[in-house]
């Protein structure tokens, strides 16, 4: 009499774990990029007196806000 064992193999589990880790990384990266975009837009909206308070000129703020969200 043959007995067939139904067990999950470790490579499948490792593969799923790897996919989960990759998805988490991608989600964190996207979140970071969206936050960068929002911060740049908000910087451009600040009045001159607040920009002066943080040591940024209007030209610097506009240059920064013109960058694409993926640029550092």
């Amino acid at each position: 009499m043959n007995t067939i064992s139904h067990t999950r193999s470790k490579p499948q589990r490792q593969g799923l774990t790897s996919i989960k880790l990759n998805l988490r990384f991608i989600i964190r990266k996207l979140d970071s990029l969206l936050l960068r975009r929002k911060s740049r837009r908000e910087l451009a909206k600040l009045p001159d007196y607040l920009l002066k308070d943080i040591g940024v000129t209007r030209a610097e703020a506009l240059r920064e806000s013109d960058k694409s969200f993926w640029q550092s």
Side-chain angles (χ1 to χ4, degrees):
M1 181 170 160
N2 286 338
T3 304
I4 299 174
S5 176
H6 295 285
T7 60
R8 279 192 163 164
S9 63
K10 289 185 180 181
Q12 283 181 337
R13 287 186 198 164
Q14 289 174 347
L16 290 176
T17 301
S18 177
I19 290 170
K20 287 179 185 178
L21 291 174
N22 287 337
L23 286 175
R24 286 183 186 146
F25 172 79
I26 291 168
I27 289 169
R28 276 191 230 120
K29 187 64 176 178
L30 285 173
D31 190 44
S32 170
L33 292 172
L34 292 173
L35 181 60
R36 183 183 296 167
R37 181 180 72 169
K38 181 180 178 184
S39 298
R40 286 179 174 161
R41 288 180 177 180
E42 293 298 319
L43 181 67
K45 293 178 186 177
L46 290 177
D48 289 336
Y49 77 94
L50 288 178
L51 290 174
K52 184 179 178 184
D53 192 42
I54 61 172
V56 176
T57 66
R58 171 63 52 198
E60 290 170 333
L62 292 176
R63 199 169 27 252
E64 186 66 25
S65 67
D66 284 341
K67 289 182 182 178
S68 298
F69 66 92
W70 60 82
Q71 293 176 310
S72 295

